Amino acid sequence: MAETAWEWDETLYAGSAHHYSVGRLPYPPELVDAIRTALDLDGTGRLLDVGCGPGSLTLLLAPLFEAAVGVDPDRDMLAEAQRRAAESGTTTPVEWRHLRAEALPADLGTFRVATFAQSFHWMDRPLVARRVRDMLAPDGAWVHVSATTHQGVTGDDPLPYPRPPWSQINDLVARYLGPVRRAGQGSLPAGTPSGEGEIMLAAGFTGPTRVTVEQGMVVERPVDEIVSAVFSLSSSAPHLFGDRRPAFEADLRELLTATARDGRFAERRRDIDIVIWRP
């Protein structure tokens, strides 16, 4: 049978919202400083965070602007974002909108900055690039934040606790879901698409400017956090396991408990890459 192209559907992160908040390492304050400096932000203008998920980046950057808007197609992610916003006590007005990026501009107006953090690859990229470009102020910027936040750097340098057994975790997921990466109701045998640069240039952007936020600090992570990190991934989102989810989680916890020390792991944080395009 001919292989059909992957298409987005609303189950992509079904059941993952709470796990995303727990299992993903938070973006560091250094990311805020880097974006503020690179864009010379002064507290004016508005932020548009596209594919905002539970608001991890939206809430971190919101104080740099007069107001912020986070958009996401997953209602549970937006509910989690609203909960986190209430807990954060932010004084910057933040609006959450349930819509796909392809539905922009959706009468949202003009923005100084549009951010995409681990989200652009799920979209109709040429269409979204064109539409968001038209929503940016003449001196505005598109900011792509490239980060791997569910796991740290691989290596064999000594750490205070064992590293999470990611290779064994991946093997366990494959035992339950098969060897081909799952995503929503489809699969991604070749992974998510690349070629962002060509798409941005074709949409009329100039650039890019690249900034690396160096990390490398060691973080300690309990077993529950690693469990949530696994369930936060589109490739192992809770819905994919169906009625086998309890069995999978039991096997996962058994693996983690056997390889942790005192119920804890340690990892070094990965660097974060910022790619800035101008309209």
Side-chain angles (χ1 to χ4, degrees):
M1 293 179 61
E3 187 175 300
T4 57
W6 181 85
E7 294 184 359
W8 178 90
D9 70 81
E10 62 183 9
T11 68
L12 182 61
Y13 282 101
S16 292
H18 169 71
H19 293 292
Y20 211 103
S21 291
V22 174
R24 299 292 183 112
L25 295 170
Y27 293 115
E30 293 86 355
L31 178 60
V32 180
D33 297 336
I35 291 176
R36 179 195 292 114
T37 300
L39 301 182
D40 195 25
L41 298 175
D42 57 4
T44 62
R46 295 195 302 153
L47 167 69
L48 175 66
D49 189 16
V50 186
C52 66
S56 309
L57 186 65
T58 327
L59 295 172
L60 189 68
L61 298 183
L64 302 180
F65 300 88
E66 296 173 6
V69 178
V71 303
D72 200 275
D74 189 306
R75 291 188 184 276
D76 290 340
M77 288 287 189
L78 293 176
E80 185 70 8
Q82 291 174 317
R83 181 191 68 79
R84 294 176 67 173
E87 289 184 352
S88 73
T90 180
T91 58
T92 303
V94 181
E95 179 184 359
W96 308 104
R97 294 289 298 272
H98 176 244
L99 54 87
R100 293 188 64 193
E102 290 82 355
L104 293 169
D107 297 322
L108 291 179
T110 301
F111 294 85
R112 183 170 184 179
V113 174
T115 51
F116 291 74
Q118 307 178 70
S119 62
F120 191 43
H121 54 276
W122 297 123
M123 303 170 187
D124 181 337
R125 296 181 299 165
L127 174 64
V128 172
R130 293 193 303 270
R131 291 190 174 179
V132 171
R133 181 177 181 270
D134 291 340
M135 298 174 71
L136 291 172
D139 61 345
W142 168 305
V143 178
H144 181 81
V145 177
S146 178
T148 299
T149 54
H150 71 281
Q151 73 176 89
V153 179
T154 58
D156 55 10
D157 55 311
L159 297 177
Y161 291 93
R163 286 178 169 82
W166 286 110
S167 179
Q168 293 169 268
I169 291 170
N170 293 337
D171 289 344
L172 179 63
V173 171
R175 274 174 42 200
Y176 275 82
L177 300 181
V180 178
R181 177 178 173 177
R182 300 280 297 276
Q185 298 302 303
S187 60
L188 290 168
T192 53
S194 58
E196 174 189 303
E198 292 84 353
I199 291 169
M200 299 299 287
L201 292 172
F205 285 88
T206 61
T209 300
R210 300 180 185 275
V211 179
T212 297
V213 180
E214 296 184 351
Q215 294 291 280
M217 62 283 292
V218 175
V219 293
E220 296 179 9
R221 310 185 70 185
V223 166
D224 284 348
E225 185 175 318
I226 303 302
V227 171
S228 281
V230 174
F231 282 134
S232 77
L233 299 170
S234 61
S235 56
S236 50
H239 75 94
L240 292 173
F241 298 92
D243 58 10
R244 300 182 73 197
R245 177 188 166 177
F248 169 77
E249 183 169 345
D251 285 346
L252 176 60
R253 288 185 178 277
E254 181 179 1
L255 168 63
L256 296 177
T257 301
T259 51
R261 189 173 76 248
D262 300 327
R264 303 188 74 79
F265 296 98
E267 294 189 281
R268 289 192 182 278
R269 295 191 58 134
R270 294 174 181 260
D271 293 348
I272 299 173
D273 293 323
I274 305 168
V275 183
I276 301 169
W277 296 89
R278 297 287 185 172

